Amino acid sequence: MADEAVEPDRSARTGEPLTRGQRIRLVIAHVVVYLAAAVFLSPIVYAFFSALKPNSEMFSMPPTLIASEVRWTNFLDVFAYGPFLTYIGNSFFVAVAGTLVVLIVSTTAGYAFGRLRWKGRDAVFVLFLATLMVPAEVLVIPMFQVMQWFNWVDTYQALILPFAFTAFGTFLMRQFFRGIPYELEEAARVDGAGPVRSFLQIILPLAKSAVAVLSVFTFLSFWNSYLWPLIVTVDYNAHGTLPVGLASFSGLTGTRWDLQMAAAIISMIPTTVLVIALQKHLVKGIAMAGLGGR
């Protein structure tokens, strides 16, 4: 069965014609992929066309994809409705700063757990992973109290630091680091390199794909975070992020669904560009991270 599964790729490389059964399986695979892509893209397509509708036609019956009037001005009205540029700037700052902190912490901790030998390493790592079983909602009240003690409520520190030390990034980097041959470090040690130099000049450059994966996941997590910024932020006009800003289109006088859809489409652009730009590294990093610990 394994030989049959790779036969189409082998035939494509050698130029040999595919058998009838192989062609049928290839067509079925493509049809399934296209159908899955259509299912996942349909909500985004509907949201985009909804952003071009007048607010009065958002819930018209029967539902329509294209309204009687196409309003491209909805994307401009978003910025006039509230401090949307401030929300975008705050989200960028929080996501970028949080990603940098997570990368520094996760790569160094992953190196310590995956490459260095010290007493109690595995036991500490198990306890570290156990924190993943605690839901984030359970930690909201204790974290808010800690922010009050530090007088960090309604500050950027409160939006960044509480979720900058997670076990997921450390686990991902550890698994990747364990897949790097130890002979590289031994050769560096013979040349006089210490652990810090080996990490910075040998291990870290080889982990570009894993770092790209962690960067995208972390950036998306900070960018899409809603509950914690909603709780810890007091002045939304000053420190509000995009998810909180999207909720501002709902008020006592009603909900501007047209502007909310337009704002949602705008908020998707940076993350979409990031994923597309790092797509090659994402595929490689996810595949290689699963080979760690060999």
Side-chain angles (χ1 to χ4, degrees):
M1 294 297 293
D3 294 339
E4 294 179 0
V6 300
E7 190 63 30
D9 294 336
R10 185 185 305 168
S11 300
R13 293 194 302 268
T14 60
E16 299 176 358
L18 298 175
T19 63
R20 184 172 181 273
Q22 292 170 349
R23 287 197 298 268
I24 293 176
R25 289 196 295 268
L26 191 61
V27 171
I28 294 176
H30 279 82
V31 170
V32 172
V33 170
Y34 291 145
L35 288 177
V39 170
F40 282 100
L41 286 175
S42 55
I44 300 177
V45 173
Y46 186 79
F48 174 76
F49 283 102
S50 296
L52 302 177
K53 295 180 179 180
N55 195 46
S56 58
E57 297 185 24
M58 292 297 296
F59 300 101
S60 60
M61 296 300 293
T64 57
L65 184 62
I66 301 177
S68 59
E69 179 185 357
V70 178
R71 291 188 175 180
W72 292 98
T73 56
N74 285 346
F75 291 97
L76 297 177
D77 294 340
V78 166
F79 298 94
Y81 191 84
F84 199 69
L85 280 177
T86 301
Y87 298 147
I88 295 177
N90 290 338
S91 289
F92 263 114
F93 176 77
V94 170
V96 171
T99 300
L100 290 177
V101 175
V102 169
L103 289 179
I104 294 173
V105 173
S106 297
T107 53
T108 53
Y111 179 74
F113 283 121
R115 308 292 295 191
L116 303 181
R117 295 179 177 87
W118 42 281
K119 186 177 181 180
R121 180 190 66 176
D122 295 337
V124 174
F125 183 67
V126 171
L127 293 176
F128 201 53
L129 286 183
T131 60
L132 292 175
M133 297 186 295
V134 182
E137 291 77 10
V138 177
L139 302 176
V140 167
I141 295 179
M143 286 193 306
F144 185 80
Q145 291 177 334
V146 172
M147 295 301 104
Q148 285 184 318
W149 293 340
F150 284 101
N151 197 25
W152 283 357
V153 175
D154 199 28
T155 62
Y156 290 117
Q157 302 95 294
L159 294 172
I160 297 171
L161 295 181
F163 293 99
F165 305 91
T166 61
F168 171 76
T170 300
F171 174 76
L172 179 67
M173 299 307 302
R174 172 187 179 271
Q175 292 302 104
F176 191 92
F177 289 155
R178 287 174 65 90
I180 299 176
Y182 285 90
E183 290 78 8
L184 295 175
E185 277 186 289
E186 293 175 357
R189 193 176 297 111
V190 171
D191 292 338
V196 176
R197 185 177 177 184
S198 298
F199 169 71
L200 294 176
Q201 296 185 359
I202 298 176
I203 302 301
L204 199 58
L206 294 175
K208 292 180 180 178
S209 298
V211 171
V213 173
L214 182 59
S215 300
V216 172
F217 286 169
T218 306
F219 188 90
L220 291 176
S221 177
F222 277 102
W223 186 267
N224 296 324
S225 179
Y226 172 72
L227 179 61
W228 179 245
L230 181 67
I231 293 175
V232 80
T233 303
V234 177
D235 187 359
Y236 296 133
N237 292 334
H239 300 103
T241 56
L242 264 178
V244 177
L246 291 177
S248 66
F249 291 98
S250 300
L252 296 177
T253 58
T255 301
R256 290 298 305 269
W257 296 105
D258 52 344
L259 300 186
Q260 194 171 58
M261 286 294 182
I265 295 298
I266 294 174
S267 67
M268 291 171 54
I269 294 176
T271 54
T272 303
V273 172
L274 179 64
V275 171
I276 293 176
L278 299 178
Q279 181 180 8
K280 184 181 299 184
H281 293 287
L282 289 176
V283 175
K284 182 180 177 181
I286 293 175
M288 296 185 67
L291 300 177
R294 292 173 295 177

